[in-house]
Amino acid sequence: MGFLVCAAISAESRGVVTTETIERAFRQTEEGYMALVSGSWNARPHIASAGTCCLVGVIFQQTLFVANAGDSRVVLGKKVGNTGGMAAIQLSTEHNANLEAVRQELKELHPHDPQIVVLKHGVWRVKGIIQVSRSIGDVYLKHAQFNREPLNAKFRLPEPMNMPILSANPTILSHALQPNDSFLIFASDGLWEHLSNEKAVDIVNSNPHAGSAKRLIKAALHEAARKREMRYSDLRKIDKKVRRHFHDDISVIVLFLNHDLISRGTVLDPTLSIRSALDH
């Protein structure tokens, strides 16, 4: 699964940004994809099983809104006094069945389904199939009409689906930006599987702004190689189709905050560092 980040400093002529407008954007995106699946069902039924995590960041009137569906994450690097230190503050809530709170939520929503979460090979999965409980797409676990032939049998449930299992509703948090808020790291779960919030913030804080996202991905790949007791250079040589067995996909955006522009409600080429493991 991938992730999407939208960073906007001002809505101006487009009106205000609220949790409701963000929720509506998620809903319309979900409805658009479901319409695509419906219109392509006979020719391409497999797209009913495609989906993505969605992570959104919007800055409006000096408030950062973070919306998340899935297990991507945004972490804030916040200056600590005049010490030169940088605190790591997570600003998103994740929806992954490996988290006890998510499993409890699913059990409460589906009290009559003992198989709503299943432990397979040491990993908790919703219905034994997918790790995330919220996403855009994956409509085969949201609407019964897409959980039938000709969809691949491995995605079809053995019992009737009486209610949606997954959701596209994001969890939305707001954060009033302060002058000591330095930068934001938006990344898919592939990064956080190998780097702690604190380690990622330290890497960004200890190096020049340029190339921050690439630097984070390289650090994560070094850690993935170490866990497999192999050299980073050897991991790089493995075909990308096979490398999914060694590490998940990794996408990263680092946004450096310019508080002068934020206070004026304008944006002039914001400093961004973007990188995907597919490029690395």
Side-chain angles (χ1 to χ4, degrees):
M1 285 192 171
F3 78 113
L4 167 69
V5 175
C6 169
I9 302 300
S10 175
E12 293 183 345
S13 62
R14 298 176 183 271
V16 299
V17 174
T18 65
T19 57
E20 289 75 20
T21 58
I22 296 172
E23 287 172 346
R24 186 163 66 248
F26 270 74
R27 187 165 57 250
Q28 291 177 352
T29 303
E30 174 77 358
E31 291 170 353
Y33 189 75
M34 188 173 67
L36 175 66
V37 173
S38 181
S40 308
W41 178 248
N42 292 326
R44 296 186 295 164
H46 61 279
I47 67 173
S49 62
T52 182
C53 299
C54 187
L55 177 63
V56 173
V58 182
I59 297 174
F60 178 69
Q61 293 184 346
Q62 302 183 58
T63 296
L64 169 68
F65 293 89
V66 173
N68 190 41
D71 54 7
S72 296
R73 183 186 304 173
V74 59
V75 173
L76 168 69
K78 188 181 190 74
K79 295 177 185 175
V80 180
N82 298 317
T83 65
M86 192 75 67
I89 301 173
Q90 185 169 324
L91 295 179
S92 56
T93 299
E94 292 160 33
H95 312 110
N96 187 303
N98 281 307
L99 299 172
E100 173 61 33
V102 173
R103 294 198 298 276
Q104 187 60 37
E105 178 185 57
L106 288 166
K107 290 174 183 177
E108 290 174 359
L109 290 171
H110 305 271
H112 304 298
D113 186 353
Q115 299 295 308
I116 188 62
V117 284
V118 178
L119 186 64
K120 295 180 67 173
H121 309 297
V123 178
W124 286 98
R125 296 181 182 274
V126 181
K127 299 300 292 180
I129 300 173
I130 189 170
Q131 284 184 255
V132 296
S133 62
R134 305 190 194 191
S135 68
I136 298 293
D138 296 309
V139 297
Y140 72 108
L141 288 177
K142 296 173 180 174
H143 304 281
Q145 68 263 38
F146 301 123
N147 198 285
R148 58 182 175 85
E149 292 184 336
L151 185 68
N152 191 305
K154 69 179 180 179
F155 296 115
R156 300 202 302 267
L157 301 178
E159 69 281 344
M161 184 166 56
N162 299 317
M163 63 178 291
I165 294 170
L166 301 188
S167 166
N169 296 329
T171 297
I172 302 177
L173 291 83
S174 62
H175 171 77
L177 291 171
Q178 304 296 324
N180 55 346
D181 293 340
S182 183
F183 56 83
L184 298 161
I185 303 172
F186 294 83
S188 59
D189 66 310
L191 182 82
W192 308 113
E193 181 182 350
H194 299 296
L195 297 182
S196 67
N197 295 351
E198 292 74 18
K199 181 63 176 177
V201 165
D202 182 61
I203 290 171
V204 174
N205 185 46
S206 303
N207 292 279
H209 289 185
S212 291
K214 180 179 180 180
R215 210 171 283 117
L216 288 170
I217 288 179
K218 187 173 182 179
L221 295 183
H222 270 284
E223 182 62 17
R226 187 194 66 78
K227 290 176 181 176
R228 291 300 190 105
E229 298 183 340
M230 62 190 300
R231 292 181 300 183
Y232 168 75
S233 57
D234 291 332
L235 177 65
R236 288 287 308 276
K237 295 173 185 176
I238 298 173
D239 184 85
K240 290 176 181 176
K241 294 180 181 179
V242 180
R243 268 168 60 178
R244 279 301 292 267
H245 297 291
F246 294 82
H247 66 84
D248 203 351
D249 61 285
I250 307 174
S251 296
V252 181
I253 291 178
V254 181
L255 173 65
F256 295 93
L257 298 170
N258 184 321
H259 291 279
D260 180 52
L261 294 179
I262 291 171
S263 64
R264 286 188 281 144
T266 58
V267 109
L268 295 171
D269 298 324
T271 306
L272 282 171
S273 178
I274 305 173
R275 199 72 178 184
S276 166
L278 294 177
D279 304 322
H280 199 65

Coordinates of all heavy atoms in Angstrom, one line a residue, residues 184-241:
L184 N 8.1 18.2 9.3 CA 7.2 17.1 9.4 C 7.7 16.0 8.5 O 8.1 16.2 7.4 CB 5.8 17.5 8.9 CG 5.1 18.6 9.7 CD1 4.0 19.3 8.9 CD2 4.5 18.0 11.0
I185 N 7.6 14.8 9.0 CA 8.0 13.6 8.2 C 6.7 12.8 7.9 O 6.1 12.3 8.8 CB 9.0 12.7 8.9 CG1 10.3 13.5 9.3 CG2 9.4 11.5 8.1 CD1 11.2 12.7 10.2
F186 N 6.3 12.7 6.7 CA 5.2 11.9 6.2 C 5.8 10.6 5.6 O 6.6 10.7 4.7 CB 4.4 12.6 5.2 CG 3.6 13.8 5.6 CD1 4.3 15.0 5.7 CD2 2.3 13.7 6.0 CE1 3.6 16.2 6.1 CE2 1.6 14.9 6.4 CZ 2.2 16.1 6.5
A187 N 5.4 9.4 6.1 CA 6.0 8.2 5.5 C 5.1 7.0 5.6 O 4.3 6.9 6.5 CB 7.3 7.9 6.2
S188 N 5.2 6.1 4.6 CA 4.4 4.9 4.7 C 5.0 4.0 5.8 O 6.1 4.2 6.3 CB 4.5 4.2 3.3 OG 5.8 3.9 2.9
D189 N 4.3 2.9 6.1 CA 4.7 2.1 7.2 C 6.1 1.4 7.0 O 6.7 0.9 7.9 CB 3.7 1.0 7.5 CG 3.5 0.0 6.4 OD1 3.3 0.5 5.2 OD2 3.5 -1.2 6.6
G190 N 6.5 1.3 5.7 CA 7.8 0.6 5.4 C 8.9 1.3 6.1 O 9.9 0.7 6.5
L191 N 8.8 2.6 6.3 CA 9.9 3.4 7.0 C 9.9 3.1 8.5 O 10.9 2.8 9.1 CB 9.8 4.9 6.7 CG 10.9 5.7 7.4 CD1 12.1 5.7 6.5 CD2 10.5 7.1 7.7
W192 N 8.7 3.2 9.0 CA 8.5 3.1 10.5 C 8.7 1.6 11.0 O 8.9 1.4 12.2 CB 7.2 3.6 10.9 CG 6.9 5.0 10.4 CD1 6.0 5.3 9.4 CD2 7.6 6.2 10.7 NE1 6.0 6.6 9.2 CE2 7.0 7.2 9.9 CE3 8.7 6.5 11.5 CZ2 7.5 8.5 10.0 CZ3 9.1 7.8 11.6 CH2 8.5 8.8 10.8
E193 N 8.7 0.7 10.1 CA 9.0 -0.7 10.4 C 10.5 -0.8 10.9 O 10.8 -1.7 11.7 CB 8.7 -1.6 9.2 CG 9.0 -3.1 9.4 CD 8.8 -3.9 8.2 OE1 8.2 -3.4 7.2 OE2 9.2 -5.1 8.2
H194 N 11.3 0.1 10.4 CA 12.8 -0.1 10.6 C 13.3 1.1 11.4 O 14.4 1.0 12.0 CB 13.5 -0.2 9.3 CG 13.1 -1.4 8.5 ND1 13.3 -2.7 9.0 CD2 12.5 -1.6 7.3 CE1 12.9 -3.6 8.1 NE2 12.3 -2.9 7.1
L195 N 12.7 2.3 11.4 CA 13.2 3.4 12.1 C 12.1 3.9 13.2 O 11.0 4.0 12.9 CB 13.5 4.6 11.2 CG 14.5 4.4 10.1 CD1 14.7 5.7 9.3 CD2 15.9 4.0 10.7
S196 N 12.6 4.2 14.4 CA 11.7 4.8 15.4 C 11.5 6.2 15.0 O 12.2 6.9 14.2 CB 12.4 4.7 16.8 OG 13.5 5.5 16.8
N197 N 10.4 6.8 15.6 CA 10.1 8.2 15.4 C 11.3 9.1 15.8 O 11.7 10.0 15.0 CB 8.9 8.7 16.3 CG 7.6 8.0 15.9 OD1 7.6 7.3 14.8 ND2 6.6 8.1 16.7
E198 N 12.0 8.8 16.9 CA 13.1 9.5 17.4 C 14.3 9.4 16.5 O 15.0 10.4 16.2 CB 13.5 9.1 18.8 CG 12.5 9.3 19.9 CD 11.2 8.5 19.8 OE1 11.3 7.4 19.2 OE2 10.2 8.8 20.4
K199 N 14.6 8.2 15.9 CA 15.7 8.1 15.0 C 15.5 8.8 13.7 O 16.4 9.5 13.2 CB 15.9 6.6 14.7 CG 17.0 6.3 13.8 CD 18.4 6.7 14.4 CE 19.5 6.3 13.5 NZ 20.8 6.7 14.1
A200 N 14.3 8.8 13.2 CA 14.0 9.5 12.0 C 14.1 11.0 12.2 O 14.7 11.7 11.3 CB 12.5 9.2 11.5
V201 N 13.6 11.5 13.3 CA 13.8 13.0 13.5 C 15.2 13.4 13.7 O 15.7 14.4 13.2 CB 12.9 13.4 14.8 CG1 13.3 14.7 15.3 CG2 11.4 13.4 14.4
D202 N 16.0 12.5 14.4 CA 17.4 12.8 14.6 C 18.2 12.8 13.3 O 19.0 13.7 13.1 CB 18.0 11.7 15.5 CG 19.5 12.0 15.8 OD1 19.8 13.1 16.4 OD2 20.3 11.2 15.4
I203 N 17.8 11.9 12.3 CA 18.5 11.9 11.0 C 18.2 13.2 10.3 O 19.2 13.8 9.7 CB 18.1 10.7 10.2 CG1 18.6 9.4 10.8 CG2 18.5 10.8 8.8 CD1 18.1 8.1 10.2
V204 N 17.0 13.6 10.3 CA 16.6 14.9 9.6 C 17.3 16.1 10.2 O 17.9 16.9 9.6 CB 15.1 15.1 9.5 CG1 14.8 16.4 8.9 CG2 14.5 13.9 8.7
N205 N 17.3 16.1 11.6 CA 17.8 17.3 12.3 C 19.3 17.4 12.2 O 19.9 18.5 12.3 CB 17.4 17.2 13.8 CG 17.8 18.4 14.6 OD1 17.5 19.5 14.1 ND2 18.3 18.1 15.8
S206 N 20.0 16.3 12.0 CA 21.5 16.2 12.1 C 22.1 16.4 10.7 O 23.3 16.4 10.6 CB 21.9 14.9 12.7 OG 21.4 14.7 14.0
N207 N 21.3 16.7 9.7 CA 21.9 16.7 8.4 C 21.3 17.9 7.6 O 20.2 18.5 8.0 CB 21.6 15.4 7.6 CG 22.4 14.3 8.2 OD1 23.5 14.1 7.9 ND2 21.7 13.4 9.0
P208 N 21.9 18.3 6.5 CA 21.3 19.4 5.6 C 19.9 19.0 5.2 O 19.5 17.8 5.1 CB 22.3 19.4 4.4 CG 23.5 18.9 4.9 CD 23.2 17.8 5.9
H209 N 19.1 20.0 4.9 CA 17.7 19.8 4.5 C 17.6 19.0 3.2 O 16.8 18.0 3.0 CB 17.0 21.1 4.3 CG 16.7 21.8 5.5 ND1 15.9 23.0 5.6 CD2 17.0 21.5 6.8 CE1 15.8 23.4 6.8 NE2 16.5 22.6 7.6
A210 N 18.5 19.3 2.2 CA 18.4 18.7 0.9 C 18.7 17.2 1.1 O 19.7 16.8 1.7 CB 19.4 19.3 -0.1
G211 N 17.9 16.3 0.5 CA 18.2 14.9 0.5 C 17.7 14.2 1.8 O 18.0 13.1 2.0
S212 N 16.8 14.9 2.6 CA 16.4 14.3 3.8 C 15.6 13.0 3.6 O 15.8 12.0 4.3 CB 15.5 15.3 4.6 OG 16.3 16.4 5.1
A213 N 14.7 13.0 2.7 CA 13.8 11.8 2.4 C 14.7 10.7 2.0 O 14.5 9.5 2.4 CB 12.7 12.2 1.4
K214 N 15.6 10.9 1.1 CA 16.5 9.9 0.6 C 17.4 9.3 1.7 O 17.6 8.1 1.8 CB 17.4 10.4 -0.5 CG 18.4 9.4 -1.1 CD 19.2 10.1 -2.2 CE 20.2 9.0 -2.8 NZ 21.1 9.6 -3.9
R215 N 17.8 10.2 2.6 CA 18.6 9.8 3.7 C 17.8 8.9 4.7 O 18.4 7.9 5.2 CB 19.1 11.0 4.5 CG 20.4 10.9 5.2 CD 20.9 12.2 5.7 NE 21.5 13.1 4.6 CZ 21.0 14.2 4.2 NH1 19.9 14.7 4.8 NH2 21.5 14.9 3.2
L216 N 16.6 9.2 4.9 CA 15.7 8.3 5.7 C 15.5 6.9 5.1 O 15.6 5.9 5.8 CB 14.4 9.0 6.0 CG 14.4 10.2 6.9 CD1 13.0 10.9 6.8 CD2 14.7 9.8 8.3
I217 N 15.3 6.9 3.8 CA 15.1 5.6 3.2 C 16.4 4.8 3.2 O 16.3 3.6 3.5 CB 14.6 5.8 1.7 CG1 13.2 6.3 1.7 CG2 14.7 4.5 0.9 CD1 12.6 6.5 0.4
K218 N 17.5 5.4 3.0 CA 18.8 4.7 3.0 C 19.0 4.1 4.4 O 19.4 2.9 4.6 CB 19.9 5.6 2.7 CG 21.2 4.9 2.5 CD 22.3 5.8 2.0 CE 23.6 5.0 1.8 NZ 24.7 5.9 1.2
A219 N 18.7 4.9 5.5 CA 18.8 4.4 6.9 C 17.9 3.2 7.1 O 18.3 2.2 7.8 CB 18.5 5.5 7.8
A220 N 16.7 3.2 6.6 CA 15.7 2.1 6.8 C 16.2 0.9 6.1 O 16.1 -0.2 6.6 CB 14.4 2.6 6.3
L221 N 16.8 1.1 4.9 CA 17.3 -0.1 4.1 C 18.5 -0.7 4.7 O 18.7 -1.9 4.7 CB 17.5 0.3 2.6 CG 16.3 0.8 1.8 CD1 16.7 1.1 0.4 CD2 15.2 -0.3 1.8
H222 N 19.3 0.1 5.3 CA 20.5 -0.4 6.1 C 20.0 -1.3 7.2 O 20.6 -2.3 7.5 CB 21.4 0.8 6.6 CG 22.4 1.2 5.7 ND1 23.6 0.5 5.5 CD2 22.5 2.3 4.8 CE1 24.4 1.1 4.6 NE2 23.8 2.2 4.2
E223 N 19.0 -0.8 7.9 CA 18.4 -1.5 9.0 C 17.8 -2.8 8.6 O 17.9 -3.9 9.2 CB 17.4 -0.7 9.8 CG 16.8 -1.3 11.0 CD 17.9 -1.7 12.1 OE1 19.0 -1.2 12.1 OE2 17.5 -2.5 13.0
A224 N 17.1 -2.8 7.4 CA 16.4 -4.0 6.9 C 17.5 -5.0 6.5 O 17.3 -6.2 6.8 CB 15.6 -3.6 5.6
A225 N 18.6 -4.6 5.9 CA 19.7 -5.5 5.6 C 20.3 -6.1 6.9 O 20.6 -7.3 6.9 CB 20.8 -4.7 4.8
R226 N 20.5 -5.2 7.9 CA 21.1 -5.7 9.1 C 20.3 -6.8 9.8 O 20.8 -7.8 10.2 CB 21.3 -4.6 10.1 CG 22.0 -4.9 11.4 CD 21.9 -3.9 12.5 NE 20.5 -3.8 12.9 CZ 19.9 -4.6 13.8 NH1 20.6 -5.6 14.3 NH2 18.7 -4.4 14.2
K227 N 19.0 -6.6 9.7 CA 18.1 -7.6 10.3 C 18.1 -9.0 9.6 O 17.9 -10.0 10.2 CB 16.6 -7.1 10.3 CG 16.4 -6.0 11.3 CD 15.0 -5.4 11.1 CE 14.7 -4.3 12.1 NZ 13.3 -3.7 11.9
R228 N 18.5 -8.9 8.3 CA 18.6 -10.1 7.5 C 20.1 -10.6 7.4 O 20.4 -11.6 6.7 CB 18.1 -9.9 6.1 CG 16.6 -9.7 5.9 CD 15.8 -10.9 6.4 NE 14.4 -10.8 6.1 CZ 13.8 -11.6 5.2 NH1 14.6 -12.4 4.4 NH2 12.5 -11.4 4.9
E229 N 20.9 -10.0 8.2 CA 22.3 -10.3 8.3 C 23.0 -10.3 6.9 O 23.7 -11.3 6.6 CB 22.5 -11.7 9.0 CG 22.0 -11.7 10.4 CD 22.2 -13.1 11.1 OE1 22.4 -14.1 10.4 OE2 22.2 -13.1 12.4
M230 N 22.7 -9.3 6.2 CA 23.3 -9.1 4.9 C 23.8 -7.7 4.8 O 23.5 -6.8 5.6 CB 22.3 -9.4 3.8 CG 21.1 -8.5 3.8 SD 19.8 -9.2 2.7 CE 20.6 -9.2 1.1
R231 N 24.6 -7.4 3.7 CA 25.1 -6.1 3.5 C 24.1 -5.3 2.7 O 23.4 -5.8 1.9 CB 26.4 -6.2 2.7 CG 27.6 -6.8 3.5 CD 28.9 -6.8 2.7 NE 28.7 -7.6 1.5 CZ 29.7 -7.9 0.6 NH1 30.9 -7.3 0.8 NH2 29.5 -8.6 -0.5
Y232 N 24.1 -4.0 3.0 CA 23.2 -3.0 2.3 C 23.5 -3.1 0.8 O 22.5 -3.1 0.0 CB 23.5 -1.6 2.8 CG 22.9 -0.5 2.0 CD1 21.5 -0.2 2.0 CD2 23.7 0.3 1.1 CE1 21.0 0.8 1.3 CE2 23.1 1.3 0.4 CZ 21.8 1.6 0.5 OH 21.2 2.6 -0.3
S233 N 24.7 -3.2 0.4 CA 25.0 -3.3 -1.1 C 24.4 -4.5 -1.7 O 24.0 -4.5 -2.9 CB 26.5 -3.3 -1.3 OG 27.2 -4.3 -0.6
D234 N 24.3 -5.6 -1.0 CA 23.8 -6.9 -1.5 C 22.2 -6.7 -1.6 O 21.6 -7.2 -2.5 CB 24.1 -8.1 -0.6 CG 25.6 -8.4 -0.7 OD1 26.2 -8.1 -1.8 OD2 26.2 -8.9 0.2
L235 N 21.6 -6.1 -0.6 CA 20.2 -5.8 -0.6 C 19.8 -5.0 -1.8 O 18.8 -5.3 -2.5 CB 19.7 -5.1 0.7 CG 18.2 -4.8 0.7 CD1 17.4 -6.0 0.8 CD2 18.0 -3.9 2.0
R236 N 20.6 -4.0 -2.2 CA 20.3 -3.2 -3.3 C 20.3 -3.9 -4.6 O 19.7 -3.5 -5.6 CB 21.4 -2.0 -3.4 CG 21.2 -1.0 -2.3 CD 20.0 0.0 -2.6 NE 20.1 0.5 -3.9 CZ 20.7 1.6 -4.3 NH1 21.5 2.2 -3.4 NH2 20.7 2.0 -5.5
K237 N 21.1 -5.0 -4.7 CA 21.2 -5.8 -5.9 C 20.0 -6.7 -6.2 O 19.8 -7.2 -7.3 CB 22.5 -6.7 -5.9 CG 23.8 -5.8 -5.9 CD 25.0 -6.7 -5.6 CE 26.3 -5.9 -5.5 NZ 27.4 -6.8 -5.2
I238 N 19.2 -6.9 -5.1 CA 18.1 -7.8 -5.3 C 17.0 -7.2 -6.2 O 16.7 -6.0 -6.0 CB 17.5 -8.2 -3.9 CG1 18.5 -8.9 -3.1 CG2 16.2 -9.1 -4.0 CD1 18.1 -9.2 -1.6
D239 N 16.4 -8.0 -7.0 CA 15.3 -7.5 -7.9 C 14.2 -6.9 -7.1 O 13.8 -7.4 -6.0 CB 14.8 -8.6 -8.8 CG 13.8 -8.1 -9.8 OD1 14.2 -7.7 -10.9 OD2 12.6 -8.2 -9.5
K240 N 13.7 -5.8 -7.5 CA 12.7 -5.1 -6.8 C 11.4 -5.9 -6.5 O 10.7 -5.8 -5.5 CB 12.3 -3.8 -7.5 CG 13.4 -2.7 -7.4 CD 13.1 -1.5 -8.2 CE 14.3 -0.5 -8.1 NZ 14.0 0.7 -8.9
K241 N 11.1 -6.8 -7.4 CA 9.9 -7.7 -7.2 C 10.2 -8.7 -6.1 O 9.2 -9.1 -5.4 CB 9.6 -8.5 -8.5 CG 9.2 -7.6 -9.7 CD 8.9 -8.4 -10.9 CE 8.4 -7.5 -12.1 NZ 8.2 -8.3 -13.3

